[in-house]
């Protein structure tokens, strides 16, 4: 159980933490890398929310006077060929990256959970067919599947989210299914069944809450890979289109074109992608250790 | 008599053609040319096919012009591509007759196609039939069909003479025939064959065309021009990243850049990194322009199109893209390199060309507001453009400018192979386009880009009254009179927002000093890739 | 064992069948008619050409008939026709396969050479500073987009050597090609090496906890020899599986890296075909990738079965 695991973990560590703050402090000490990950993610989320407040330039405005200007007082990360502020583009780019990352992870989890629950709970032919279908989808590399989907639907923010969400479904469905299978055998479910609860209600009321922990672990781990996939798609020109400031797009042809004279065009967007993914990976690792100790490496 | 008129034109052109760019002359040809060697030039993108008649970009001319010959061509050694630099090629001589309504070519005997079959007058007729769409076998795209509407018939007289019968006198026809876009095709290869396994009479044969990777030409050992070509072949790796390509050039892995791909910024790098390289920087007769599909609502509304034209800040484009070195003008190449460019005062009187950008945009916003647009109701639109830097960069600036007048653009980037068909079919709403003029001649520019039926008239602008003026200027033999007519047409085109011209680009081409006998023209960039006189001094 | 092999093989065929159905359906529910798309890709203008394309593609047939025609074509080695190059698709795809194969193998070699030793070290020194540093390193390896790494490598080359590794089909010979491919392969392999390291570490830790290692130690084997001989041999099993899985992920890295380094391999070709809207090529390339991934997984499973005596077969 999610709450139980977490509490057990605290107890196991011998923490006498009671208040929320001291619990948090305990966690930070116990999982310093995870805390760093959480901090990095917090910075990106805050930047995305308060993008207007922390930038002075528009991310879209071109300015002939500062074409390829180096990092300086006004343009702290320099400007691109069209004279757009790289810093502003990175800050607003966090919106795109997080929108795509969170959006597609959420969408993928939503469908993955529904399919996994149904598949695990109903079993039988339905389960067999769904499992084969998930196998099939997983046989294709994530990027390839996302590429084909986004090409088929045309590049736009919304389609990018969908294209990345689809390949996520099988892995989520699989984890949820195996959890559901395990839970179905447990006593409290049998007890609920005995009281005559309807199957769907049972699944949603009792089984679903108990799959939250592995789901959180999985979602955090996938968040990083969705951000990477979006960057790759946009880099290849099949993700979020110009003029929207997407980190991957910033690194595509135009940046490479001036990498000799304006290395900041390559360095900063790449750093932003790497940091964001690094943050989610750190956080994901710590959450896995905390919530799902069976998987601990 | 018309021959004399042509000569008259020629001298006028020579006077007008003042060299401005930083053209460096090839080293004196005093030295005996060396034979052998492979010229290495990069290719900026994957050409749609090897068939020049289906091409509308020098991504096709540059790699494949060496496979073919024209009837007449421009002298590759001269500074300008104009009437007085036209020299014989497959036609040894030509004569006007019938009051300027017929043009007879005498053909070079003993010329063979790459597959050994003889070249005859019948092939000339086949070429015209193909381009005019008279054959059963059609070109997949036919960008210059309307240029030859005036050619009523092509009559071979035996194997070595052919006469073009015209509907009206057209002195400029020779210019059109001398362009790199007008190679002779054989009767015995169909249009599809010319795209994949082209057969020409030219100095090189196609050895290999690996999509997105490599184009290789190899010397035609049976070439009919004695002693040519000097090179054993031309090798063109396809490198889509300009920076990678320039580094390859700097490190000596390439002898020649792709024509006109050297921007002002790149040129500065090259001056320090490869100080010995010879660079030609100047007008290329390619304009950056805004295309708006007049048939697609809401752009069927003239006010919207006018507002878009008014939103353009040409100086901003110029500063970013060409560090202020490009020129502003109408359809025709601006003076001094161009013969037909409008005078400055005339140009500045046109809407949107005036220096007060803020006033222009205020007017544009009023036009938009008239149709219900405003800060609360913005117009979202896809801006289509081709996937090369010269298109993508200005497209981003365009989106920024349109933002000022309540239009939110989103870029749609289209591969070269798809782009030309897409705009020809008018399968777009708004686009950032580059229009190349193969020759500095109003007949080419007007008939190709603005006549109602032309495939290259991608905006759907159609003005039959003006088209009559196209024909009138085409027949006019007095240069000054013709200039005035051309100016008036050009002004009208800009006022009608037919295809707002943003800039006339200046850009460069560089080669290492070992490359001898290569030169870019100062008023065109489509006609100098025969490569038969080029040799390597190493 | 035989029964297992047959069952596993049947499963593989079933998966491939499923993938082919999905790909086939996907490219037919694309917004916009497939004929219009190909019309686009061929840069055609005359609407009359559309009927010709439809005929050539056999679009007048029913969907199941079209599907059968496609699959039987593939089995005959006919991968269809590219409307962009106007050549049989096989002629376009075949010469690109060895390029990508070389790059992929080199990247795998790279990832194993880096990943396994670091994983072992990290496990043996569990919870020391070295372990932490290596774990952070591997996590950051997983976080770097390989196209960015590629760009950084290019930038470094430019500023130190003033030149770039530029692909050319004229470069032949083992060592010359090795030099040519090693830089992009390292860029792709870096990410994989991080994953290999993580998995080597965790399987190594698991093995180290097991009884026979303790027994071996009790018997007086030196700590080092136990760690490296016994433990490593057993820990390599799951690593083999991981390499099989990673082969699939490599393809994603190859797509962007071939783009960055201008290498005309089959992975980049997929993107080119997508951009040029050359759907017959896209359909067959995706199928090809699926076949490679599924077959690699099959082979890895077989290897695993042969190598690991603990797995029981049958049933």
């Amino acid at each position: 159980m999610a709450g139980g695991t977490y509490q057990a973990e605290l107890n196991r560590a011998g923490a006498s933490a009671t208040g929320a703050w001291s619990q948090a402090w305990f966690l930070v000490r116990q999982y310093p890398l995870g805390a760093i990950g959480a901090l990095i993610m917090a910075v990106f989320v805050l930047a995305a929310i308060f993008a207007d407040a922390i930038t002075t330039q528009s991310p879209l405005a071109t300015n002939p006077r500062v074409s390829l200007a180096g990092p300086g007082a006004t343009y702290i990360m320099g400007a691109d060929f069209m004279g757009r502020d790289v810093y502003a583009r990175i800050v607003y780019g966090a919106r795109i990256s997080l929108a795509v990352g969170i959006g597609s992870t959420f969408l993928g989890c939503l469908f993955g959970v529904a399919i996994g629950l149904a598949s695990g709970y109903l079993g039988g032919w339905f389960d067999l067919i769904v499992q084969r279908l998930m196998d099939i989808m997983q046989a294709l590399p994530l990027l390839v599947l996302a590429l084909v989907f986004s090409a088929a639907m045309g590049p736009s923010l919304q389609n990018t989210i969908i294209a990345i969400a689809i390949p996520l479904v099988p892995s989520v469905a699989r984890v949820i299914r195996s959890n559901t299978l395990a839970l179905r055998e447990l006593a409290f479910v049998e007890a609920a069944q005995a009281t005559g609860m309807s199957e769907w209600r049972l699944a949603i009321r009792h089984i679903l809450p108990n799959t939250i922990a592995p789901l959180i672990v999985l979602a955090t781990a996938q968040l990083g890979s969705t951000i990477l996939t979006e960057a790759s798609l946009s880099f290849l020109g099949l993700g979020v289109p110009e003029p929207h400031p997407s980190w991957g797009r910033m690194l595509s042809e135009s940046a490479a074109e001036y990498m000799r004279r304006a290395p900041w065009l390559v360095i900063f967007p790449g750093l932003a992608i790497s940091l964001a993914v690094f943050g989610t990976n750190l956080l994901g690792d710590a959450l896995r250790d905390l919530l799902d100790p069976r998987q601990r490496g | 008599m018309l021959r004399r008129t042509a000569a008259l034109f020629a001298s006028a052109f020579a006077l007008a053609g003042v060299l401005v760019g930083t053209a460096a002359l090839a080293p004196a040809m005093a030295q005996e040319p060396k034979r052998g060697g492979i010229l290495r030039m990069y290719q900026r993108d994957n050409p749609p096919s090897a068939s020049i008649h289906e091409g509308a970009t020098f991504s096709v001319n540059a790699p494949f012009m060496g496979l073919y010959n024209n009837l007449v061509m421009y002298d590759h050694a001269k500074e300008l591509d104009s009437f007085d630099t036209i020299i014989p090629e497959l036609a040894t001589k030509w004569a006007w007759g019938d009051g300027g309504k017929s043009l007879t070519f005498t053909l070079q005997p003993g010329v063979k196609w790459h597959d050994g079959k003889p070249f005859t007058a019948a092939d000339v007729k086949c070429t015209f039939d193909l381009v005019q769409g008279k054959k059963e076998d059609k070109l997949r795209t036919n960008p210059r069909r309307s240029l030859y509407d005036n050619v009523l018939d092509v009559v071979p007289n035996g194997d070595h003479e052919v006469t073009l019968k015209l509907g009206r006198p057209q002195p400029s026809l020779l210019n059109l025939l001398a362009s790199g876009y007008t190679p002779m095709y054989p009767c015995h290869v169909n249009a599809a064959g010319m795209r994949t396994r082209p057969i020409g009479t030219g100095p090189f044969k196609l050895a290999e065309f690996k999509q997105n990777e490599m184009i290789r030409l190899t010397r035609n050992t049976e070439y009919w021009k004695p002693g040519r070509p000097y090179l054993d072949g031309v090798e063109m790796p396809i490198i889509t990243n300009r920076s990678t390509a320039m580094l390859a050039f700097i490190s000596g892995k390439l002898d020649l850049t792709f024509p006109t791909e050297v921007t002002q910024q790149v040129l500065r790098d090259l001056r320090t990194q490869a100080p010995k390289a010879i660079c030609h920087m100047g007008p290329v007769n390619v304009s950056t322009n805004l295309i708006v599909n007049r048939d697609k609502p809401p752009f069927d509304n003239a006010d919207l199109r006018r507002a878009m034209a008014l939103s353009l800040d040409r100086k901003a484009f110029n500063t970013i893209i060409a560090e202020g070195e490009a020129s502003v003008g109408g359809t025709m190449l601006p003076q001094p390199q161009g013969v037909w460019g409008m005078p400055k005062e005339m140009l500045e009187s046109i809407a949107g060309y005036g220096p007060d950008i803020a006033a222009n945009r205020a007017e544009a916003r009023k036009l938009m507001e008239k149709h219900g647009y405003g800060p609360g109701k913005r117009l979202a639109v896809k801006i289509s453009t081709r996937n090369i830097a010269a298109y993508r960069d200005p497209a981003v600036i365009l989106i920024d400018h349109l933002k000022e007048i309540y239009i939110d653009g989103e870029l749609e980037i289209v591969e070269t192979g798809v782009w030309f068909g897409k705009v020809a079919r008018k399968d777009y709403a708004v686009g950032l386009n580059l229009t190349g003029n193969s020759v500095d001649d109003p007949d080419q520019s007007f008939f190709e880009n603005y006549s109602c039926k032309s495939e290259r008239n991608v905006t759907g602008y159609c003005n039959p009254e003006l088209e009559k003026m196209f024909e009138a200027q085409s027949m006019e033999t007095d240069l000054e009179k013709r200039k005035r007519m051309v100016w008036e047409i050009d002004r009208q085109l800009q006022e009608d927002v037919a295809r707002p011209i943003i800039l006339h680009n200046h850009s460069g081409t560089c080669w290492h000093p070992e490359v001898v006998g290569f030169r870019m023209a100062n008023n065109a960039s489509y006609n100098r890739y025969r490569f038969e006189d080029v040799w390597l001094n190493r | 064992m035989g029964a297992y092999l047959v069952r596993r093989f049947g499963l593989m065929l079933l998966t491939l069948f499923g993938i082919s159905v999905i790909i086939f359906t996907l490219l037919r529910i694309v917004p916009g008619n497939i004929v219009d798309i190909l019309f686009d890709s061929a840069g055609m203008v005359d609407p009359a050409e559309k009927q010709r394309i439809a005929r050539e593609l056999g679009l007048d047939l029913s969907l199941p008939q079209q599907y059968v025609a496609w699959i039987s074509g593939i089995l005959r080695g006919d991968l269809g026709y590219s409307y962009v190059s106007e050549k049989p698709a096989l002629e376009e795809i075949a010469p690109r396969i060895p390029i990508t194969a070389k790059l992929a193998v080199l990247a795998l070699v790279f990832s194993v050479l880096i990943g396994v030793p670091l994983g072992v070290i990290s496990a043996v020194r569990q919870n020391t500073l070295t372990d932490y540093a290596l774990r952070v390193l591997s996590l950051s390896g997983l976080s770097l987009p390989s196209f960015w790494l590629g760009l950084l490598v290019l930038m470094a080359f430019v500023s130190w050597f003033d030149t770039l590794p530029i692909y050319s089909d004229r470069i032949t010979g083992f060592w010359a090609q090795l030099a040519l491919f090693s830089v992009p392969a390292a860029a792709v392999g870096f990410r994989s090496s991080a994953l290999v390291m993580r998995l080597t570490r965790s399987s190594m830790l698991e093995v180290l906890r097991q009884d026979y290692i303790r027994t071996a130690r009790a018997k007086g084997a030196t700590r080092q020899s136990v760690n490296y001989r016994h433990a490593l041999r057993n820990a390599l099993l799951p690593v083999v599986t991981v390499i099989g899985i990673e082969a699939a992920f490599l393809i994603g890295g190859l797509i962007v890296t071939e783009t960055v380094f201008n290498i005309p391999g089959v992975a980049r070709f997929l993107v080119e075909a997508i951009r040029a809207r050359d759907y017959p090529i896209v359909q067959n390339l995706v199928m090809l990738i699926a076949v490679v991934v599924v077959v690699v997984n099959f082979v890895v499973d077989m290897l695993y079965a042969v190598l690991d005596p603990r797995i029981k077969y049958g049933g």
Side-chain angles (χ1 to χ4, degrees), chain C residues 64-112:
Chain C
Q65 279 175 314
Q66 287 181 39
Y67 175 78
V68 170
W70 174 46
I71 295 295
S72 57
I74 288 185
L75 294 178
R76 283 196 316 270
D78 172 12
L79 295 187
Y81 179 78
S82 160
Y83 277 81
V84 172
S85 64
E86 298 184 80
K87 279 186 202 158
L90 189 65
E91 269 180 46
E92 287 289 323
I93 295 175
R96 291 164 198 267
I97 292 175
I99 298 174
T100 301
K102 282 176 203 163
L103 200 55
V105 168
L106 211 57
L108 264 183
V109 168
F110 183 88
S111 65
V112 170

Side-chain angles (χ1 to χ4, degrees), chain B residues 41-165:
Chain B
M41 172 183 92
Y42 84 93
Q43 169 74 23
R44 69 177 169 184
D45 59 355
N46 192 53
S49 84
S51 180
I52 290 185
H53 279 300
E54 295 188 12
T57 161
F58 49 81
S59 292
V60 177
N61 294 44
F64 299 121
M65 207 177 133
L67 303 177
Y68 305 101
N69 291 118
N70 289 3
L71 286 175
V72 293
M73 70 171 198
Y74 291 114
D75 188 341
H76 281 34
K78 294 283 171 20
E79 190 219 321
L80 296 173
D81 288 345
S82 68
F83 261 119
D84 65 340
T85 63
I86 294 177
I87 55 172
E89 201 173 22
L90 286 171
T92 52
K93 57 181 191 215
W94 56 91
W96 294 92
D98 193 14
K101 294 216 287 189
S102 87
L103 178 57
T104 301
F105 292 98
T106 307
L107 303 178
Q108 174 81 33
V111 176
K112 285 196 164 53
W113 296 100
H114 291 161
D115 55 7
K117 295 209 168 66
F119 161 79
T120 67
D123 293 310
V124 179
K125 180 167 175 57
C126 282
T127 304
F128 274 93
D129 285 352
L130 184 68
V131 172
Q132 292 186 301
K134 289 178 183 167
K135 270 181 138 180
E136 181 71 10
D137 180 31
K138 301 271 188 242
L139 294 173
R140 211 151 59 162
T141 69
N142 193 347
R144 285 169 299 280
R145 178 182 181 159
S146 63
L147 285 190
Y148 301 102
D149 281 350
N150 187 33
V151 177
L152 302 182
D153 201 6
V154 178
V155 187
N157 322 316
D159 277 352
H160 300 301
E161 194 178 277
V162 63
T163 301
L164 308 188
K165 302 272 185 210

